[in-house]
Amino acid sequence: MSSDANAIKIVRVPAAVRYRAAQERGEHMDVMHLARWEASRVYAVGDIHGRLDLLDAIEGMIAADIAASCTDEPLICYLGDYIDRGPHSAQVIDRLCILSRDGAKRVFLKGNHEDRMLDFLDAPATNGPSWLKFGGREALESYGIAVSVEPGDSDWTNLRDRLDGVLPDTHRDFLTSLDLGIHWQGYFLVHAGLNPERAVSDQMERDLMWIREPFLSSEEDWGFKVVHGHVITEEPVFRTNRIGIDTGAYQSGRLTCLVLEGGAQRVIQTG
């Protein structure tokens, strides 16, 4: 039998099929069924948005904080929005993929910008214009893909195919395996928040990544405090039912990390 006959044939699944499968998700979910983590202390890192310099800086500050206190088994939780807007989306994902293998306890949540990128890979003509408007251009450029000022209708599939051709498998795996939220003690960590008009047991997955109002103005007692990013504020916001830590790192230079230990809360920031 010839060597050609014994060769393994590799069939590449088209991006539209692959990412549509990755994006399939139920409409409703009980957030109480999401993972519960055991840790002596939690470091929650806000929206990074393509700022590799700030990611490296906050990682150094977290490492120094852990070393100074000799805490056992801390957990580092990243709240999502790793990509878009800043100049180094691809490099940020690279770094997070490396960090995920360093032996520390880390969990990576899914933000609306990761959701939007996956939607673009699924249906580029439908989702491309909105993605570019909110930072997708910078993300594509970080992968070495130049984008015209005003892509035409015929350009979107080509852009998706070019991204699909250069996206490392490690990045695909990272993007399609992100968690929606986690519980730790009396906290629920999530990218955007929860819908106070729905029961905790009947939330919409999309809201966990995308919601703003009525979550932000709600005084709902969830039975836990929500830690989230997603909505930019000049300084972290501390409310009775939520803590918001997106301080607009991509434009302000301030990447915020909330440190939780027992009933104590404190902040570490770059900039």
Side-chain angles (χ1 to χ4, degrees):
M1 186 176 289
S2 69
S3 58
D4 287 343
N6 289 323
I8 297 173
K9 184 178 181 180
I10 298 175
V11 178
R12 187 170 180 78
V13 178
V17 175
R18 189 165 62 248
Y19 288 100
R20 187 178 301 116
Q23 284 294 85
E24 287 178 355
R25 51 186 185 261
E27 292 186 355
H28 306 274
M29 66 178 303
D30 184 348
V31 300
M32 299 307 292
H33 291 163
L34 293 174
R36 297 182 180 276
W37 283 73
E38 297 294 332
S40 56
R41 177 187 299 171
V42 170
Y43 294 85
V45 179
D47 303 36
I48 299 165
H49 277 308
R51 287 294 300 267
L52 180 63
D53 56 336
L54 301 182
L55 172 59
D56 287 344
I58 204 74
E59 285 293 326
M61 297 170 76
I62 292 171
D65 192 74
I66 292 171
S69 60
C70 300
T71 189
D72 293 329
E73 292 197 23
L75 170 66
I76 307 174
C77 178
Y78 305 80
L79 298 184
D81 278 8
Y82 314 110
I83 62 169
D84 298 348
R85 293 180 168 162
H88 300 123
S89 293
Q91 294 77 16
V92 165
I93 295 180
D94 254 344
R95 182 75 84 249
L96 295 175
C97 288
I98 292 169
L99 290 172
S100 70
R101 301 190 296 269
D102 72 354
K105 291 174 69 172
R106 302 178 191 268
V107 60
F108 303 93
L109 303 186
K110 186 177 183 181
N112 62 301
H113 283 259
E114 290 76 50
D115 194 48
R116 193 187 296 272
M117 181 177 177
L118 290 171
D119 281 345
F120 169 73
L121 287 161
D122 174 16
T126 300
N127 300 301
S130 60
W131 187 41
L132 256 63
K133 182 179 179 181
F134 293 100
R137 180 182 301 275
E138 292 83 356
L140 287 166
E141 290 173 350
S142 76
Y143 284 98
I145 299 170
V147 185
S148 62
V149 176
E150 293 289 341
D153 292 343
S154 61
D155 295 331
W156 296 112
T157 298
N158 177 260
L159 281 172
R160 187 275 307 280
D161 291 346
R162 289 166 62 193
L163 176 59
D164 185 56
V166 299
L167 196 65
D169 287 342
T170 52
H171 290 206
R172 302 178 202 278
D173 293 343
F174 179 83
L175 290 166
T176 57
S177 62
L178 297 169
D179 291 302
L180 286 170
I182 66 164
H183 295 271
W184 179 78
Q185 295 187 7
Y187 297 92
F188 178 62
L189 288 76
V190 66
H191 177 66
L194 297 171
N195 188 343
E197 297 176 353
R198 305 185 71 93
V200 170
S201 60
D202 189 34
Q203 292 289 309
M204 303 290 288
E205 292 190 14
R206 181 178 172 85
D207 281 338
L208 274 64
M209 297 176 284
W210 288 86
I211 197 168
R212 291 175 180 267
E213 293 294 353
F215 167 70
L216 295 174
S217 58
S218 172
E219 298 180 357
E220 178 76 16
D221 180 359
W222 306 99
F224 45 72
K225 187 166 291 190
V226 179
V227 177
H228 65 95
H230 187 52
V231 176
I232 295 175
T233 54
E234 188 172 346
E235 295 295 338
V237 173
F238 291 83
R239 299 277 178 84
T240 56
N241 62 349
R242 68 178 181 89
I243 304 174
I245 63 169
D246 180 3
T247 45
Y250 77 96
Q251 59 185 1
S252 69
R254 292 192 308 278
L255 178 58
T256 297
C257 173
L258 175 68
V259 186
L260 303 171
E261 188 170 19
Q265 305 159 356
R266 56 189 172 89
V267 167
I268 298 173
Q269 280 184 320
T270 63

